[in-house]
Amino acid sequence: MKFFRGLILGFVNASLNRKARPNIIYMLMDDLGWGDLGVNGNLHRETPNIDELARSGVVFTDFYSAAPLCSPSRASLLTGRLPIRNGFYTDNAKMRNGYTPQNIVSGIADDEILLSELLQKSGYRTGLVGKWHLGHREQYMPLKHGFDFWFGAPNCHFGPFDQDYPRLPARPGLGRGRAGYFSIPAFDDKHTPNIPVFENDKMIGRYYEEISIDRNNARSNFTNTLRVRALEFVQNSVDAQKPFFLFFTPDSSHAPVYSSPAFAGKSRRGKIGDAIMELDWAIGSIMESVKSLGIMEDTIIVFSSDNGAACVGPVEQCGSNGPLLCCKQTTFDGGMRVPGILSWPGTVEPNQINNDVTGLMDLFTTGLALAEIPIPSDRFIDGKNLINLVKTKHTKNSRKSSPSGTHFFYRGDTLGAVRRGDYKMHVYTWSGTKASSIWHFCRGQNVPNVTTEVQTDHSKAPVIYNIGQDPSEKLPLPTKSAEYKQQRPILEKIIAEHQKTLVLGTPQLNYCDDSVMHWAPPGCEKLGKCLPTPASNYAKCYWDH
């Protein structure tokens, strides 16, 4: 495996003609729902800049994340591979969503090839501005995986956390849970260090300390800080006369949401709306910078989100999935269908709508094609080149009535559903535990025998929807209908072929340990912010969701 990796990177290193290759900007929001954008029908129309970006290019109506949760989704974008292939899943318990809290032991595997690595080797200047979430120990950090520049945090901005307790106590809800397992700390656990913010390989402060976040009022200036750093990266890349890859990943739309005082109370939607309005403004600012620098026609911009909007906690913290069923954490469309916008003025025709089944994994293959980099041949790549699906000034593609494309919907180690064209078939469902629990992810929505509160195997009688006619997944096809009888064998064959050739990645989200938390990150000495590291208590993670 390492031989092939070296061969590919070596080939890329000798790559061609920089001037013919566009700059690439991928904007990935956090928990931003399909229905949060005006272009997707949000009645409040509070995203004018994102909507303008959509009008300048293509809206992918049926664009999917590779997982219903943040970390595995991001890993799949950068590798072009399903989490079940790239190892960003857990098999400690069936159908559990794992991610990378600060006590996770592992991260992105060394033998995975990331888009950032390939672009860097081919001569692109690469920058990550925002959240990483693919592991925070030294070997997993962004500068070890193809980024020349990073400003942001390795984890989400959960907190604030106490700084005066060096190890987790033995008390209900924390420490070892089920026999041999380690329970993931609750969001407001008070005995873990605050998450650090990095510039390149050194911590410059911590959330709720040097990086102020007022949870009570949902206020922080951090989105603007990220915007400024993104603008600086673009300007510096232009000055260096190098093509660039900017991965812009703010997380203010993830609970606890926040916005700067300038956006306080501006949205009719409350705190989540204020956060989204500021994100829209930041994106507009980046677009304006690209235009003013004269590189608009040399730059492709893609906008999306890591998964569907969350629906736990207060409504003011939750985004909108529009008409789609359920939310983040589920394999229903509300959990995994996300905004998809691509703009490349002068190359991609404006005002397009594409209904093909597409998604975040396609950004890997698309990025390689744009940079004239061959696709790795030693592994299965799930992503496809989006440019082949859209109308450019050299093609005469027209809107299709029947969409193409296939997508597999995994929840942890379990395949929940498959979609091919207009049809989606569920073979395993779980919407979360009891409706009164924080871990129920279909709040206010109930489809009998579908939004199940226990894990349910439907393989003997799969649930099939015509998503083109029923995007809300509310009206399953009658099992005796001709439509059902026609589609079931087609979809079952797709699953059988997928599983027959599937090579499982080694699960990276199985083990947790207090001692790997952010007690003493690089740079803490200079700030006087180092904390004592507790003894190791390495054990399997137990995931409630």
Side-chain angles (χ1 to χ4, degrees):
M1 189 74 75
K2 290 186 178 178
F3 169 78
F4 284 108
R5 177 186 178 87
L7 187 65
I8 292 165
L9 295 180
F11 178 88
V12 169
N13 222 0
S15 197
L16 317 166
N17 192 2
R18 285 182 190 155
K19 292 183 180 178
R21 302 183 298 166
N23 307 308
I24 302 169
I25 300 177
Y26 287 168
M27 299 178 171
L28 189 71
M29 304 299 105
D30 203 325
D31 288 8
L32 188 82
W34 191 91
D36 279 321
L37 305 183
V39 70
N40 284 345
N42 190 283
L43 298 177
H44 298 299
R45 302 282 173 171
E46 294 178 343
T47 54
N49 294 300
I50 300 169
D51 298 345
E52 177 57 32
L53 183 70
R55 286 188 291 270
S56 72
V58 188
V59 172
F60 293 96
T61 60
D62 296 51
F63 198 79
Y64 288 96
S65 65
L69 196 66
C70 42
S71 297
S73 174
R74 291 161 192 264
S76 291
L77 185 158
L78 289 173
T79 63
R81 287 153 56 80
L82 287 164
I84 198 72
R85 300 189 204 275
N86 66 37
F88 246 65
Y89 70 99
T90 176
D91 60 4
N92 286 349
K94 188 175 180 61
M95 212 179 190
R96 302 294 173 137
N97 283 317
Y99 70 111
T100 54
Q102 63 166 312
N103 62 342
I104 200 76
V105 171
S106 297
I108 192 68
D110 278 341
D111 60 1
E112 287 298 320
I113 299 175
L114 276 61
L115 175 62
S116 49
E117 294 171 340
L118 294 171
L119 290 174
Q120 183 186 59
K121 290 290 185 180
S122 74
Y124 272 71
R125 190 168 183 266
T126 55
L128 169 63
V129 178
K131 186 170 83 170
W132 173 236
H133 232 197
L134 298 186
H136 63 272
R137 301 175 75 190
E138 183 180 0
Q139 65 268 39
Y140 305 120
M141 294 289 253
L143 269 59
K144 298 285 188 178
H145 289 278
F147 285 100
D148 298 312
F149 172 77
W150 176 38
F151 182 87
N155 309 86
C156 203
H157 59 276
F158 295 145
F161 300 137
D162 280 350
Q163 300 299 288
D164 59 355
Y165 196 87
R167 59 183 301 170
L168 288 178
R171 60 189 178 90
L174 295 172
R176 295 187 183 276
R178 299 188 178 186
Y181 286 78
F182 188 98
S183 295
I184 302 302
F187 293 167
D188 291 316
D189 170 51
K190 300 299 184 182
H191 299 291
T192 54
N194 277 322
I195 303 296
V197 171
F198 279 74
E199 181 165 2
N200 293 321
D201 60 349
K202 296 291 190 296
M203 178 180 85
I204 62 165
R206 295 182 187 268
Y207 283 131
Y208 303 96
E209 297 174 35
E210 293 80 8
I211 313 300
S212 175
I213 299 177
D214 179 352
R215 282 189 61 160
N216 292 331
N217 296 303
R219 297 290 165 253
S220 177
N221 291 319
F222 197 57
T223 295
N224 184 51
T225 301
L226 295 176
R227 177 192 72 91
V228 170
R229 290 306 185 108
L231 295 177
E232 290 174 351
F233 175 80
V234 171
Q235 179 69 65
N236 292 339
S237 300
V238 171
D239 291 344
Q241 298 184 353
K242 294 185 68 173
F244 65 83
F245 169 48
L246 169 62
F247 194 27
F248 182 60
T249 60
D251 72 347
S252 60
S253 49
H254 187 298
V257 300
Y258 61 80
S259 62
S260 66
F263 289 87
K266 298 296 184 183
S267 170
R268 292 180 62 194
R269 299 177 59 197
K271 294 175 181 178
I272 181 66
D274 293 346
I276 293 171
M277 287 183 74
E278 184 168 26
L279 289 170
D280 179 78
W281 166 76
I283 289 159
S285 177
I286 294 171
M287 292 163 54
E288 182 58 35
S289 176
V290 169
K291 182 178 179 180
S292 66
L293 289 168
I295 58 171
M296 182 70 80
E297 294 193 355
D298 297 320
T299 304
I300 185 170
I301 300 176
V302 178
F303 175 92
S304 190
S305 177
D306 60 354
N307 44 248
C311 62
V312 295
V315 173
E316 65 182 9
Q317 297 280 339
C318 300
S320 169
N321 292 313
L324 307 179
L325 183 64
C326 298
C327 305
K328 171 183 177 179
Q329 305 273 9
T330 74
T331 53
F332 304 114
D333 266 29
M336 294 181 65
R337 196 193 299 201
V338 292
I341 296 169
L342 184 153
S343 175
W344 189 4
T347 298
V348 171
E349 295 291 334
N351 296 306
Q352 294 188 61
I353 297 176
N354 185 286
N355 305 121
D356 290 315
V357 180
T358 52
L360 291 178
M361 290 184 294
D362 298 332
L363 300 188
F364 175 86
T365 309
T366 303
L368 295 187
L370 294 168
E372 303 174 351
I373 300 172
I375 297 171
S377 60
D378 65 324
R379 64 200 61 212
F380 192 95
I381 301 297
D382 294 283
K384 55 187 174 294
N385 183 1
L386 293 175
I387 302 300
N388 293 337
L389 302 179
V390 303
K391 184 177 179 181
T392 69
K393 62 182 181 181
H394 305 296
T395 67
K396 295 183 179 180
N397 293 344
S398 58
R399 184 173 177 180
K400 307 171 188 176
S401 58
S402 299
S404 64
T406 299
H407 191 76
F408 296 99
F409 298 73
Y410 274 87
R411 196 182 200 276
D413 64 345
T414 304
L415 179 66
V418 62
R419 179 172 171 185
R420 174 185 178 270
D422 271 333
Y423 292 92
K424 181 177 179 183
M425 182 173 76
H426 291 274
V427 293
Y428 217 97
T429 58
W430 186 34
S431 62
T433 50
K434 294 180 180 180
S436 60
S437 168
I438 188 174
W439 302 124
H440 187 270
F441 307 108
C442 297
R443 182 169 60 188
Q445 296 175 301
N446 178 48
V447 180
N449 195 41
V450 174
T451 54
T452 55
E453 293 182 3
V454 295
Q455 295 183 14
T456 304
D457 186 349
H458 297 279
S459 57
K460 292 183 179 179
V463 180
I464 303 178
Y465 293 96
N466 183 327
I467 293 292
Q469 297 175 4
D470 178 27
S472 299
E473 297 176 274
K474 298 289 177 65
L475 303 170
L477 298 179
T479 57
K480 295 183 179 180
S481 68
E483 192 175 12
Y484 182 96
K485 292 178 180 178
Q486 177 191 43
Q487 292 301 319
R488 177 176 174 176
I490 294 172
L491 295 166
E492 287 181 328
K493 182 179 179 182
I494 290 171
I495 289 178
E497 291 176 348
H498 166 69
Q499 293 179 331
K500 183 178 180 180
T501 59
L502 179 64
V503 177
L504 298 177
T506 302
Q508 300 297 308
L509 307 180
N510 276 356
Y511 289 93
C512 293
D513 188 340
D514 280 357
S515 69
V516 305
M517 291 185 185
H518 294 291
W519 305 103
C524 67
E525 300 91 347
K526 183 177 180 180
L527 298 174
K529 304 291 289 191
C530 301
L531 301 170
T533 301
S536 171
N537 57 357
Y538 182 88
K540 284 187 175 182
C541 312
Y542 173 71
W543 303 97
D544 287 314
H545 41 68

